[in-house]
Structure formats: C-alpha cells, structure tokens
Amino acid sequence: MQRRAFLALSLTAALAACAEPRWADDEALRRARFVSNEPPSITLFTVIGIPRGEGGHSALMINGSQRVIYDPAGSWEHPQIPERNDVLYGITDNFKRFYIDYHARSTYWVAEDTVYVSREVADAAIRAVEAQGASPKSYCAVNSGQALQSVPGFEGAPDGYSPLKLRQWFLTLPGVQSKRHQDGDPANNHDVLLRQKDGSVEGYRDGHLVRAPG
C-alpha cells in the first residue's frame, strides 16, 4: 500500500514538472516577425533576488535576422506575442520593455548582459533555441546553457541549474555590456502586468504606456 502511494505521488510530481509545449502557427510568426536596426547580438537576462542576491530566472534575447526571446520555463505572455516551445517571436522595443518590467520589481532586479556577434552567429543561436523544445520547470539556466553550447564562441557555457553561475560565465565573454533594471513600485508593476496580459496595453511611447487600439 505504501509503495503504491509512493508511486502515485512520484507520478504526480513528474507530471507537474513536465514541459508545456506551445506551437504558434506559421502565419502568427510571419505577422509578428520583428527585425531590429541594432547590431546582431546575444543577450542574457538574469533575474536576481533582492536583497539576498539569489538567481531566479535565466533567458536569452537574440537579435539576428529577427529578434526573439528564449524564455525557458518562463511565464511571461502577451496576446500579440506568438510562442513556439519557449521561443517568443516579435520582440519589438516595446515588448522587450514589457518583458523586463514583468520581472523587475521591488523584490527582483534584472541583469541585461549583451555580447555583439555576427549575423551568422546570432542566427545560429536562434536555431539553437528553437531546437531545444519546451523546458520543464526550473530548467531555465540548464536549457539556456545547453542552447549556447552549440553556438560558435559560446561553447563553454555551463548547463547547471544556477542562473547566477550562467551569468558569471557570460560576464567573462569578450566585450560584454551590462545594464541593470529595477522597479521599486510593486503596485504599478502589478497593474502593468495585468493590462499587458489581457492585451489592453500595447506598449510604451516616450516613457508612457500606450493603450492598444480597439
């Protein structure tokens, strides 16, 4: 009886940790596609706790032939952003800001670390994250590191569970440029999150939120 109960609990835990595959259709990706004028790059986002400094999440933003965010085991979503297995397409400047706002709050800040690369390397990174598949919970640093390992110049990426260790390695790369994002107004942050999730806010213009048309 105890063994059956243990097996049942184990199965429940395994199912809870399963990845949740999503697959937007080709037309949705075509409509959302965004090509940035900025130089090709690979950016590591690391969400870091305040005040203890623990690592909460890892994600990659890749600017190549299009700009995408690889958000393994992430929870950010927007009605205008199609997703295929943790790869988010159509990352305009507005949606990049949305993504950062979602994670930056009074208890977490977001490190944005960027390395400029060739277009070929950036596109190789996009192919690498597209090949990863949907990520189980807690695998954000694992799968981000594994994806980077197949990208020229990033083969030494660790693939452990620690977002902080992945960031420490990323900061050793030549030419890395870093920014810190922090939002000290949790009430305002919560309001923005609700409005972006239901699609009632389109984005930012001149530092102000802009309502979606309709």
Side-chain angles (χ1 to χ4, degrees):
M1 183 69 177
Q2 288 181 337
R3 182 173 182 273
R4 286 198 299 270
F6 173 77
L7 290 175
L9 288 172
S10 298
L11 178 60
T12 301
L15 290 174
C18 285
E20 298 180 4
R22 296 186 180 183
W23 195 261
D25 61 38
D26 292 344
E27 178 59 21
L29 265 59
R30 187 195 66 77
R31 289 195 308 267
R33 183 185 181 93
F34 173 72
V35 180
S36 170
N37 292 326
E38 296 179 356
S41 62
I42 297 175
T43 295
L44 174 67
F45 287 125
T46 310
V47 182
I48 300 173
I50 300 171
R52 292 183 298 169
E54 71 277 14
H57 188 56
S58 296
L60 297 170
M61 183 174 70
I62 307 163
N63 184 38
S65 56
Q66 60 178 316
R67 189 159 71 185
V68 305
I69 287 179
Y70 177 53
D71 193 32
S75 57
W76 181 74
E77 59 184 67
H78 189 282
Q80 297 178 32
I81 295 296
E83 175 184 347
R84 280 187 177 179
N85 289 346
D86 297 330
V87 182
L88 308 172
Y89 296 84
I91 304 300
T92 64
D93 293 342
N94 275 336
F95 287 122
K96 173 189 171 183
R97 178 82 176 270
F98 266 170
Y99 182 84
I100 292 170
D101 277 356
Y102 178 82
H103 295 91
R105 56 198 70 185
S106 60
T107 52
Y108 287 96
W109 66 278
V110 177
E112 177 185 349
D113 302 306
T114 299
V115 174
Y116 292 101
V117 296
S118 68
R119 176 61 60 83
E120 291 75 18
V121 168
D123 286 345
I126 293 175
R127 292 193 297 271
V129 298
E130 289 176 330
Q132 280 293 107
S135 303
K137 293 180 180 179
S138 303
Y139 269 64
C140 58
V142 173
N143 283 3
S144 293
Q146 287 180 352
L148 287 172
Q149 288 171 4
S150 63
V151 179
F154 295 81
E155 295 91 346
D159 59 1
Y161 286 90
S162 171
L164 293 181
K165 288 183 178 179
L166 179 59
R167 183 180 186 233
Q168 288 168 359
W169 169 83
F170 200 90
L171 289 173
T172 67
L173 296 172
V176 64
Q177 299 186 17
S178 300
K179 296 180 181 178
R180 178 186 178 115
H181 303 277
Q182 186 171 339
D183 182 353
D185 187 349
N188 180 63
N189 180 271
H190 180 68
D191 180 52
V192 170
L193 302 191
L194 290 175
R195 287 188 288 157
Q196 63 170 284
K197 187 172 183 178
D198 68 16
S200 62
V201 173
E202 185 176 76
Y204 290 87
R205 187 178 303 143
D206 299 325
H208 300 285
L209 286 169
V210 179
R211 294 191 66 83

